[in-house]
Amino acid sequence: MINTPFYYYDLNLLDKTLQSIDTNIKGNPFKVHYALKANAEEKILKIISDHGFGADCVSGNEINKALECGFNHNEVVLAGVGKSDNEIRTAIDNNIHSINCESIEEIRVIAEIAQKEVNIALRINPNINANTHPSITTGTSKDKFGIPTQNLWEAIEEIKKYPNLNFIGLHFHLGSQITDMLPFKKLSDEVNSIQSYLISKEIKLPHLNMGGGIGIDYNSPKDNPIPNFEDYFNVFKTHLNVLENQTVHFELGRSIIGQSGSLISKVLYVKNGANIKFAIIDAGMTDLIRPALYNSFHAIENISSDRGNETYQVVGPICESTDTFGNALLTDTNRGDYLKIFSAGAYGQVLSSNYNLRDSPKSIYSDQYQLDEILLEQNERKSKNKHM
Ligand SMILES: *Cc1c(COP(=O)(O)O)cnc(C)c1O
């Protein structure tokens, strides 16, 4: 008997998603790193490291986790606007591929801490608006991330002062859930112009890191389970001037794991409000905070019933008015039914909390249980026993 709520991961879809990336980068000097912050479940990390991707980390603990789960130290990168001294030490001690520096001050701190040679890249803020949700926009001059392009030369001069720092590349990251390809084209143009400038100064870097951010289709997850990697990588194949012996890195999080995970929850009560019919479920904002945090939409289906349809507001049990998953057109919904909340694989389980001392949602994988088996088990229990 599996307790709800739980995250359910479709490993078959994850595999197809990884293969689609392979198909679209084949023959190009491209390297994909998985952004651990989207989902750091061990089983998922092991699958992705086995697949041969690198790791994009934003904390010291993520570096340690990546290494534990099989990622090669030489394929781990660290970004973050406020790296602590301990996190910098973790990166240096483990000889990771590069520390992506976000300020001139940070260059000095790394040089001071490092007792050996360290590879660093500069994260440049290209001032490009990614036309996504303001809370997940990172590449405009109003955002705290990266070094402004106009300070690039100053940063390079700073690096030159320290013989233990190897300047190996440039890093960019525009934001997340970007579905329009134009910002990525603008980024390529901007990187081309920065590269021409560096070449005029006789600097040729071995690495360019274009960050992550390609979005997923939250509205139609069943029609578009795999993101359009073809259009995404084509932008860079077409517009980015890649130098000889240069590697282009990508840091994909949401697009790798987003559609492979869903949150499965049970209906506790169906309640008639004054004007609204509420489906009160046993998952809340402590399990999946995106709707409360960003007002984001997740498709929802009642997977226990296939008759009728009606609009319900699907809400969690927590004493916060933002603890709602929004309105959903569902089949007839009753106490004990299972709801599937789609597209919850990224920034779902990792952002769960124990507020109200609630349990952390567990993970169930498609190679352990098929969703219909779980449903069947539940239906048998329901017919024998009224309590759930
Ligand atoms: C969050 C983040 C990513 C991953 O973003 P996705 O939208 O999940 O692809 C990549 N790089 C950096 C530096 C990040 O902070």
Side-chain angles (χ1 to χ4, degrees):
M1 160 79 189
I2 296 165
N3 284 329
T4 48
F6 60 87
Y7 275 88
Y8 186 77
Y9 293 102
D10 178 345
L11 300 182
N12 193 26
L13 178 57
L14 174 59
D15 189 55
K16 283 190 186 147
T17 306
L18 296 171
Q19 282 181 29
S20 169
I21 295 172
D22 288 348
T23 308
N24 286 294
I25 63 174
K26 210 169 144 200
N28 292 271
F30 290 178
K31 175 80 200 174
V32 173
H33 300 254
Y34 170 65
L36 266 80
K37 75 171 195 269
N39 186 311
E41 290 302 295
E42 272 176 22
K43 182 152 175 156
I44 287 164
L45 295 183
K46 284 181 182 152
I47 291 170
I48 297 171
S49 68
D50 275 353
H51 193 80
F53 286 2
D56 167 46
C57 300
V58 290
S59 74
N61 289 348
E62 281 191 358
I63 295 177
N64 289 327
K65 189 81 175 186
L67 297 173
E68 271 165 44
C69 292
F71 289 94
N72 185 331
H73 69 93
N74 196 31
E75 297 184 344
V76 172
V77 296
L78 175 69
V81 71
K83 303 175 193 75
S84 71
D85 294 13
N86 271 337
E87 290 176 320
I88 291 170
R89 269 183 217 109
T90 301
I92 295 170
D93 292 349
N94 288 295
N95 299 314
I96 68 168
H97 181 269
S98 81
I99 302 178
N100 298 334
C101 262
E102 305 219 7
S103 66
I104 291 174
E105 293 73 9
E106 188 189 326
I107 296 170
R108 296 187 194 120
V109 172
I110 295 171
E112 233 175 75
I113 292 176
Q115 302 296 317
K116 58 180 176 190
E117 282 198 19
V118 186
N119 290 340
I120 67 168
L122 292 175
R123 176 169 179 177
I124 304 300
N125 183 324
N127 193 21
I128 292 168
N129 195 330
N131 305 324
T132 180
H133 191 286
S135 305
I136 50 175
T137 295
T138 57
T140 79
S141 54
K142 285 191 225 123
D143 303 311
K144 64 183 174 183
F145 303 96
I147 297 169
T149 312
Q150 66 260 34
N151 300 134
L152 171 59
W153 189 250
E154 193 188 338
I156 293 174
E157 299 263 80
E158 188 65 30
I159 295 174
K160 283 187 189 160
K161 292 183 193 162
Y162 308 100
N164 57 346
L165 301 184
N166 296 329
F167 178 36
I168 64 158
L170 296 176
H171 175 225
F172 305 84
H173 176 64
L174 295 181
S176 200
Q177 186 52 20
I178 302 167
T179 48
D180 170 9
M181 293 300 123
L182 187 62
F184 295 120
K185 178 189 175 289
K186 287 187 187 162
L187 175 62
S188 304
D189 294 342
E190 175 67 14
V191 174
N192 292 343
S193 101
I194 295 174
Q195 284 231 87
S196 322
Y197 166 75
L198 290 179
I199 290 168
S200 78
K201 301 270 191 187
E202 291 180 357
I203 296 177
K204 284 189 181 168
L205 297 167
H207 301 282
L208 293 176
N209 184 333
M210 309 307 281
I214 170 179
I216 61 171
D217 190 344
Y218 283 98
N219 293 311
S220 311
K222 289 210 273 196
D223 295 337
N224 296 311
I226 299 177
N228 193 338
F229 292 116
E230 188 179 350
D231 282 2
Y232 174 74
F233 287 112
N234 268 341
V235 173
F236 300 100
K237 289 181 200 168
T238 314
H239 297 284
L240 185 66
N241 298 332
V242 183
L243 307 180
E244 214 176 307
N245 298 322
Q246 197 168 48
T247 306
V248 185
H249 302 253
F250 297 90
E251 304 169 329
L252 307 179
R254 190 191 307 267
S255 53
I256 291 180
I257 191 64
Q259 299 288 33
S260 297
S262 43
L263 177 61
I264 309 296
S265 177
K266 203 156 47 184
V267 177
L268 297 174
Y269 305 99
V270 173
K271 166 162 130 174
N272 287 310
N275 312 302
I276 305 170
K277 206 163 194 178
F278 293 103
I280 302 168
I281 63 175
D282 63 3
M285 63 194 284
T286 53
D287 306 292
L288 177 64
I289 202 176
R290 297 188 69 259
L293 193 60
Y294 309 124
N295 203 9
S296 56
F297 172 84
H298 284 264
I300 304 177
E301 253 179 35
N302 182 336
I303 51 174
S304 307
S305 120
D306 52 12
R307 250 170 276 168
N309 61 58
E310 197 172 346
T311 298
Y312 298 81
Q313 187 175 150
V314 178
V315 299
I318 291 149
C319 181
E320 290 274 345
S321 299
T322 54
D323 186 33
T324 168
F325 296 100
N327 290 335
L329 186 65
L330 302 176
T331 47
D332 281 343
T333 296
N334 293 291
R335 173 172 163 84
D337 288 354
Y338 277 128
L339 300 193
K340 176 175 179 178
I341 303 176
F342 287 79
S343 317
Y347 308 106
Q349 198 169 4
V350 270
L351 276 164
S352 65
S353 81
N354 300 110
Y355 181 48
N356 290 189
L357 301 185
R358 282 166 58 83
D359 293 330
S360 299
K362 298 274 182 304
S363 320
I364 306 287
Y365 295 93
S366 58
D367 64 349
Q368 302 169 305
Y369 281 104
Q370 289 298 313
L371 214 42
D372 354 348
E373 292 173 59
I374 300 171
L375 275 178
L376 212 61
E377 212 176 282
Q378 177 65 12
N379 285 341
E380 279 164 14
R381 282 177 58 88
K382 243 166 90 178
S383 60
K384 283 194 208 129
N385 177 350
K386 286 231 150 45
H387 295 286
M388 298 173 297

